[in-house]
Amino acid sequence: MNVIYPLAVPKGRRLCCEVCEAPAKRVCTACTVTYYCGVVHQRADWGSIHEKICQLLIPLRTSMPFYNSEEERQHGLQQLQQRQKHLIEFCYTVAQKYLFEGKHEEAVPAALHSLRFRMNVYGLSSVELVPAYLLLSEASLGLGRIVQAEEYLSQAQWTVLKSTECCYATHSLLHRNLGLLYMAKENYEEARYHLANDIYFASSAFGTEDIRTSGGYFHLANVFHNLNKVDLADTLYTKVTEIWYKYLNNHYQVLSHSRLQQIDLLGKKFENNTGLDEAHEAEAIRILTSTLSIRESTSDRDPEKTVFVLKTLVLLYYLMMNYSKAQEYAMEAFILAKEKLSVHEQSTIQELLNLISAEESHPE
Amino acid sequence: MYYIWYCTLNISVILVAFYMFGSFSTQCSALLFLSISFRTQLIKEKDDIDYYLEVNFKGLSKEEVAAYRNSYKKNICVDMLREGYHKSFTELFALMERWDVLREAAKVRSIFWLQKPLEEQPEKLDHFYHYLTRAENAERKEYFEDVYNNLYALACYFNTPEDKWVRNHFYERCFKIAQLIKIDGGKKEAEAHAHMGLLYEEDGQLSEAAEHYEAFHQLTQGRIWKDETGRFLNLLACESLLRTYRLLSDKMLENKEYKQAIRILIKASEIAKEGSDKKMEGEASYYLGLAYLAAGEYETALTVLNTYGKISTDLDDDLSLGRAYEATAKVLQSQGEMKEAIKYLKKVLKIARNNFQNLDIVRASTMLGDIYNEKGYYSKASEYFQQAFDTTRELMNMPLMNETKVHYGIAKAHQLMLTINNCIETADITSLDHLLSWKESRSDIAPDLIIGILNNQQYVLNSCKECEISSFLSVQCHTLLTRASVDRC
């Protein structure tokens, strides 16, 4: 039933593949409004995003129902717009999450969807397209398609350059991706320039100590690591870890405080959460684990720093309610601290361990 | 463009060669081969072309474009980050944000609104860049002394009234760094304590300032360190500590916490003794004496002031000797030993005259006049008050002149009152004549307010010629006088 009969398709509908825009041969039977050139692309789309938005696409791609009055028509149009905006955000977050998890192949269809909806809503030359371009470029980079990534980035850069009002956050993202591109091309001079710009814009938008700025520091640290400037990279990695630790610890304190205050009122326990969306959580995990692996390679010299990264990871997994992982990292930290660090450090880690085991023994 | 043109030329030359020597089919395949190889070569050498263009065609480089398009502040920040100086960047960024906040606040109050934003002051930004990055570099290598020097240089650079908070920020940073420097035996730490003390002193937090100065003093004790101008640090510490102690004790005396004030001043004088600077020691005992006086412990005050007097004589310092005598006289006056007090005050007057210290002359003569006035020697009192008045007239100091004028008037009135009372009490024709003649010839008396009122009263008195009423009026005269003296106070 997946095969299309072009004559049976409603008039005016474009019969091209959702992924590559080639002439379509198949249709999704669930929504009947999405077409593909072949099984491969259909599978890819289904695995990436289509499964999640299949039914949401129907009202967008069928013709509008007949409305009796101008007022209703306006209302219908507005709702359509609203839906598209919602889809933009949704696809964007999904794609971002895939990227942070390292699943670049899956990210592409989702990012493409986000881009296409953005074009529909905002037009072709709007700044709103930039985030989607950036996602696509990042995915292409991850897949090793540097030329394609450069193309997307040039598109994004040109859009930003033309527009007069473009927020700092977008600037920062653009420069981060440009930095990543040049890192992939091993042009570290340019990469450093763009990453520096990224940090500057992110700081202007969120402040120097924000978790959203930490990405820039992390990539800059990687550049210096690749350039073999170990001490420079070291201070930058420390900075990144500090930013995350501060944020997580703060969040944990706030949570435990409110838990103490309101436990009687509601009579139930508060659930842990990180206060972040999925994409940020994935970013945190990626940044911290790669920092950890770098730290572990030089662990003999300063175990404190390794333990610090481990502690941050423990906090993160604890707040994400992934207690087994938290336990694992905490044990690792504990063993390291026992070998090489002071009693005070050991006791703080012991506290963390107790906290985790308490949570594990009282599941909801 | 050149390059491509050059390539095409090459191809055409080769083609011509083929055309002349080869068959048509070989020519075709050669063309195909050539064009393919040319294209791949072109793509491969795109970077080379970029490089060639960059070297041979003097356009704007990416950096130059960025420098032109972006603000100087951004360029500085980006430069810092590129080289990995992220701590400097964070610090500079935080400072700039604070700068903006201060500016906003100033805009509301419209004070120092004239100050330009930091972005428009490139030389300041350059200084930040230069010193902050060097400090961070040194910090990475753990050369804390270099860090300190660089931060201190920045603090010195911002030592202007409107940028004081920047200086204070760097003083605090210096202080933190200085605690890590161990090699120099604590000289840097001592200096940092001194700066922190100054910072708190300017801010009015005297007890914190005293703490830092104490640490400064302790660290410099027994050392022969000197500052840039060649002064001994220990001496500097003593001076600042004494100054702070004095300000602290002043505040305590205002709140009538005499015991605490005296304890602090005793500490101060001990430190001054250790500092082996006689002048400072004298100062310390002077303020201690004043504190004792305020607390009402006259005997102790006298002994302390005596030491001050001795020290001043040793140093041949007339001015401080005068101050010592003056304070002693005050103590004696409070004790009620007027004769002694008068003796000391006369000494003060002599010293002040010798040194042309007009204000001291005024003070001393006023005090003398007061004492005589109380004792009832009105003519002497008015004599001294007149001296004070004349001196203030020379000084052109209006408020002081007005005050001495009133004193003088009161003394004069007191002097007159005696004779007039006598005249009124006797109540015969001669005394009436006396009064009348005085009334006519009083032009020689200074036209003073109080005397004017007195004259009016006398005038009423004369016209009445009634004894009972006159006695009542004389009482009224006296009340007027006392009220006048109350007003003066």
Side-chain angles (χ1 to χ4, degrees):
Chain A
M1 273 300 284
N2 276 339
V3 183
I4 307 177
Y5 301 99
L7 284 178
V9 169
K11 209 175 169 187
R13 200 174 281 181
R14 282 179 72 219
L15 277 181
C16 50
C17 175
E18 190 73 13
V19 179
C20 63
E21 308 223 332
K25 303 226 172 71
R26 297 171 67 81
V27 63
C28 168
T29 44
C31 61
T32 66
V33 290
T34 320
Y35 306 97
Y36 298 99
C37 60
V39 188
V40 184
H41 280 176
Q42 191 175 4
R43 286 233 174 93
D45 195 27
W46 183 260
S48 162
I49 185 88
H50 193 70
E51 187 184 359
K52 297 170 183 116
I53 59 168
C54 182
Q55 293 304 308
L56 298 175
L57 289 175
I58 298 172
L60 296 182
R61 294 196 175 160
T62 48
S63 55
M64 271 208 302
F66 182 76
Y67 291 115
N68 286 319
S69 69
E70 178 65 25
E71 222 172 280
E72 277 177 38
R73 204 169 299 131
Q74 287 298 334
H75 180 71
L77 277 174
Q78 260 179 11
Q79 268 204 328
L80 207 64
Q81 195 113 51
Q82 213 61 40
R83 278 189 184 138
Q84 281 190 333
K85 277 185 184 164
H86 170 72
L87 271 177
I88 288 173
E89 282 311 309
F90 181 71
C91 295
Y92 184 75
T93 322
V94 169
Q96 216 174 18
K97 198 189 154 207
Y98 279 129
L99 283 183
F100 283 127
E101 284 167 357
K103 299 175 187 164
H104 302 287
E105 197 81 55
E106 278 96 328
V108 175
L112 270 176
H113 270 89
S114 184
L115 180 64
R116 229 166 273 150
F117 289 127
R118 276 167 205 267
M119 281 175 177
N120 273 346
V121 176
Y122 301 110
L124 277 171
S125 59
S126 164
V127 193
E128 297 289 335
L129 304 186
V130 174
Y133 280 132
L134 295 179
L135 274 188
L136 282 168
S137 79
E138 203 176 334
S140 318
L141 264 187
L143 293 170
R145 297 177 197 150
I146 291 178
V147 179
Q148 204 175 1
E150 196 169 7
E151 213 163 283
Y152 281 127
L153 275 176
S154 312
Q155 190 80 268
Q157 204 175 12
W158 178 237
T159 315
V160 167
L161 203 65
K162 270 196 301 183
S163 77
T164 44
E165 77 275 343
C166 180
C167 64
Y168 287 137
T170 314
H171 270 296
S172 139
L173 273 182
L174 172 65
H175 280 293
R176 186 169 304 178
N177 281 287
L178 279 168
L180 287 175
L181 172 73
Y182 283 111
M183 267 171 85
K185 287 168 101 179
E186 300 195 346
N187 182 350
Y188 292 121
E189 193 59 37
E190 283 290 314
R192 258 160 56 196
Y193 173 74
H194 285 295
L195 288 173
N197 267 306
D198 164 34
I199 297 173
Y200 175 78
F201 281 120
S203 302
S204 302
F206 313 115
T208 47
E209 306 296 322
D210 196 273
I211 47 169
R212 280 164 289 190
T213 316
S214 72
Y217 284 123
F218 175 69
H219 294 307
L220 195 61
N222 284 341
V223 171
F224 282 118
H225 192 75
N226 289 342
L227 286 172
N228 251 340
K229 290 185 180 169
V230 183
D231 52 339
L232 258 176
D234 186 74
T235 59
L236 281 162
Y237 281 128
T238 314
K239 171 103 189 170
V240 173
T241 322
E242 266 169 12
I243 290 174
W244 279 102
Y245 184 76
K246 209 187 276 169
Y247 172 78
L248 291 170
N249 198 28
N250 231 349
H251 195 78
Y252 168 68
Q253 301 292 352
V254 170
L255 267 186
S256 56
H257 187 68
S258 61
R259 194 176 297 168
L260 276 180
Q261 276 192 336
Q262 299 194 358
I263 192 159
D264 296 326
L265 253 171
L266 295 175
K268 64 164 191 177
K269 273 184 84 177
F270 271 73
E271 287 195 357
N272 278 332
N273 69 316
T274 48
L276 299 169
D277 57 22
E278 285 182 348
H280 272 124
E281 277 177 8
E283 186 189 12
I285 292 172
R286 201 187 63 169
I287 286 181
L288 289 172
T289 42
S290 48
T291 311
L292 180 66
S293 64
I294 285 159
R295 285 286 185 231
E296 271 170 345
S297 61
T298 58
S299 166
D300 305 329
R301 261 189 295 151
D302 22 45
E304 293 98 348
K305 287 175 181 164
T306 318
V307 169
F308 188 54
V309 180
L310 280 169
K311 262 162 65 181
T312 316
L313 268 170
V314 169
L315 258 182
L316 177 66
Y317 277 119
Y318 172 72
L319 289 174
M320 283 168 69
M321 296 198 290
N322 189 344
Y323 298 120
S324 57
K325 275 251 182 186
Q327 178 101 26
E328 192 182 305
Y329 281 119
M331 279 315 290
E332 206 175 312
F334 188 65
I335 290 164
L336 200 63
K338 216 171 189 177
E339 276 173 23
K340 286 168 184 168
L341 291 181
S342 64
V343 184
H344 175 69
E345 197 69 22
Q346 283 177 36
S347 65
T348 51
I349 295 166
Q350 185 67 52
E351 265 170 42
L352 275 177
L353 266 173
N354 293 341
L355 202 70
I356 294 160
S357 47
E359 282 291 340
E360 269 189 333
S361 58
H362 298 293
E364 286 304 305
Chain B
M1 285 300 277
Y2 264 167
Y3 191 83
I4 295 162
W5 179 76
Y6 173 73
C7 286
T8 8
L9 202 74
N10 253 351
I11 294 165
S12 49
V13 167
I14 295 166
L15 277 185
V16 168
F18 270 106
Y19 186 70
M20 285 172 83
F21 298 108
S23 68
F24 186 71
S25 63
T26 43
Q27 187 203 336
C28 260
S29 63
L31 179 64
L32 202 68
F33 165 75
L34 258 174
S35 69
I36 287 168
S37 73
F38 170 66
R39 273 190 66 191
T40 50
Q41 200 184 359
L42 194 69
I43 289 167
K44 207 191 287 172
E45 290 176 356
K46 184 172 169 287
D47 286 342
D48 293 342
I49 293 171
D50 282 349
Y51 177 74
Y52 175 83
L53 285 176
E54 213 178 276
V55 171
N56 291 311
F57 293 87
K58 289 278 180 271
L60 291 171
S61 72
K62 264 187 182 175
E63 273 82 25
E64 282 167 324
V65 172
Y68 178 72
R69 271 181 65 93
N70 302 324
S71 67
Y72 196 72
K73 163 187 151 190
K74 193 195 150 192
N75 289 329
I76 284 276
C77 288
V78 168
D79 275 350
M80 276 179 174
L81 285 167
R82 266 174 87 170
E83 303 304 320
Y85 295 113
H86 64 98
K87 281 181 191 162
S88 311
F89 164 71
T90 314
E91 192 162 357
L92 180 60
F93 204 81
L95 278 174
M96 282 193 292
E97 270 179 356
R98 228 170 110 193
W99 197 300
D100 285 344
V101 170
L102 279 183
R103 257 167 56 87
E104 280 305 308
K107 207 156 121 190
V108 175
R109 286 181 284 118
S110 82
I111 317 169
F112 80 93
W113 172 226
L114 289 174
Q115 228 201 324
K116 279 196 281 183
L118 205 49
E119 292 98 276
E120 288 166 25
Q121 304 184 49
E123 76 277 12
K124 277 185 185 172
L125 285 173
D126 280 338
H127 263 86
F128 271 128
Y129 181 80
H130 183 74
Y131 289 112
L132 278 178
T133 49
R134 279 168 59 158
E136 193 178 342
N137 211 355
E139 195 178 347
R140 234 179 266 147
K141 291 174 188 154
E142 307 204 333
Y143 297 153
F144 292 117
E145 227 166 339
D146 282 357
V147 180
Y148 180 90
N149 287 338
N150 282 310
L151 292 179
Y152 184 63
L154 264 181
C156 290
Y157 180 73
F158 284 99
N159 198 1
T160 49
E162 69 265 26
D163 292 335
K164 212 158 228 176
W165 62 274
V166 183
R167 189 203 65 180
N168 292 352
H169 170 85
F170 285 110
Y171 274 165
E172 277 164 28
R173 285 275 328 260
C174 280
F175 178 63
K176 274 178 204 145
I177 291 293
Q179 279 163 338
L180 301 173
I181 303 173
K182 296 291 170 212
I183 318 160
D184 63 348
K187 185 183 176 192
K188 296 275 187 236
E189 200 182 341
E191 278 175 12
H193 269 299
H195 298 144
M196 287 304 283
L198 183 70
L199 199 157
Y200 280 119
E201 193 185 333
E202 277 175 1
D203 204 32
Q205 292 167 288
L206 290 175
S207 48
E208 281 89 347
E211 264 171 43
H212 281 292
Y213 281 138
E214 269 164 24
F216 179 34
H217 180 248
Q218 220 166 26
L219 283 166
T220 52
Q221 221 161 22
R223 307 278 191 163
I224 44 161
W225 295 326
K226 286 180 182 176
D227 67 354
E228 305 96 79
T229 50
R231 297 177 61 197
F232 282 107
L233 281 184
N234 190 26
L235 212 63
L236 216 65
C238 282
E239 243 167 56
S240 338
L241 195 53
L242 288 188
R243 193 177 57 231
T244 324
Y245 277 152
R246 211 186 72 220
L247 290 172
L248 253 180
S249 70
D250 276 355
K251 229 178 218 170
M252 284 171 181
L253 287 179
E254 261 174 40
N255 299 331
K256 314 235 181 246
E257 297 162 357
Y258 297 119
K259 269 192 184 159
Q260 270 182 319
I262 286 170
R263 214 172 52 219
I264 281 183
L265 284 170
I266 287 175
K267 218 155 82 181
S269 67
E270 271 165 16
I271 284 164
K273 256 179 218 160
E274 282 166 24
S276 65
D277 184 79
K278 279 285 171 194
K279 191 164 181 205
M280 229 150 43
E281 199 182 328
E283 291 271 288
S285 37
Y286 172 63
Y287 287 108
L288 185 58
L290 287 187
Y292 276 126
L293 170 63
E297 297 177 32
Y298 300 123
E299 287 305 319
T300 343
L302 275 183
T303 47
V304 173
L305 286 172
N306 251 340
T307 39
Y308 180 39
K310 255 181 223 157
I311 289 169
S312 312
T313 351
D314 288 346
L315 288 173
D316 262 341
D317 186 353
D318 277 352
L319 291 184
S320 4
L321 191 63
R323 282 209 302 176
Y325 285 152
E326 196 184 320
T328 319
K330 260 184 211 158
V331 177
L332 289 170
Q333 195 187 354
S334 316
Q335 267 181 322
E337 293 181 23
M338 295 303 178
K339 265 192 188 160
E340 287 285 308
I342 288 169
K343 207 175 80 192
Y344 274 107
L345 281 173
K346 279 186 177 158
K347 276 187 194 167
V348 175
L349 215 54
K350 208 168 120 193
I351 292 169
R353 282 222 180 88
N354 287 341
N355 293 299
F356 304 103
Q357 289 295 312
N358 284 337
L359 278 177
D360 283 354
I361 296 175
V362 173
R363 260 205 316 274
S365 3
T366 315
M367 275 171 77
L368 269 171
D370 263 343
I371 291 170
Y372 280 124
N373 209 354
E374 254 171 55
K375 290 180 108 186
Y377 299 129
Y378 298 124
S379 54
K380 273 210 164 170
S382 69
E383 187 187 311
Y384 279 113
F385 280 135
Q386 190 181 5
Q387 273 179 19
F389 178 58
D390 290 343
T391 325
T392 50
R393 246 195 336 208
E394 280 168 31
L395 280 175
M396 308 287 284
N397 183 343
M398 275 317 276
L400 198 63
M401 191 168 86
N402 284 336
E403 199 186 321
T404 46
K405 205 198 287 184
V406 173
H407 277 299
Y408 183 33
I410 290 167
K412 210 73 181 165
H414 274 143
Q415 208 182 338
L416 276 174
M417 194 179 65
L418 275 180
T419 39
I420 288 170
N421 262 359
N422 274 339
C423 291
I424 293 166
E425 270 161 22
T426 44
D428 51 4
I429 304 282
T430 44
S431 46
L432 194 63
D433 277 344
H434 267 303
L435 283 172
L436 280 172
S437 63
W438 166 71
K439 194 177 164 282
E440 248 145 59
S441 68
R442 68 192 148 177
S443 52
D444 63 319
I445 296 160
D448 205 286
L449 175 73
I450 293 158
I451 291 169
I453 296 166
L454 271 175
N455 289 344
N456 281 344
Q457 295 284 356
Q458 294 300 334
Y459 180 74
V460 175
L461 193 90
N462 288 339
S463 55
C464 288
K465 296 182 184 175
E466 294 275 346
C467 294
E468 296 93 335
I469 300 170
S470 74
S471 68
F472 160 73
L473 274 176
S474 79
V475 171
Q476 211 178 352
C477 273
H478 201 83
T479 45
L480 243 176
L481 273 172
T482 34
R483 198 180 301 154
S485 59
V486 169
D487 286 348
R488 170 181 58 92
C489 295

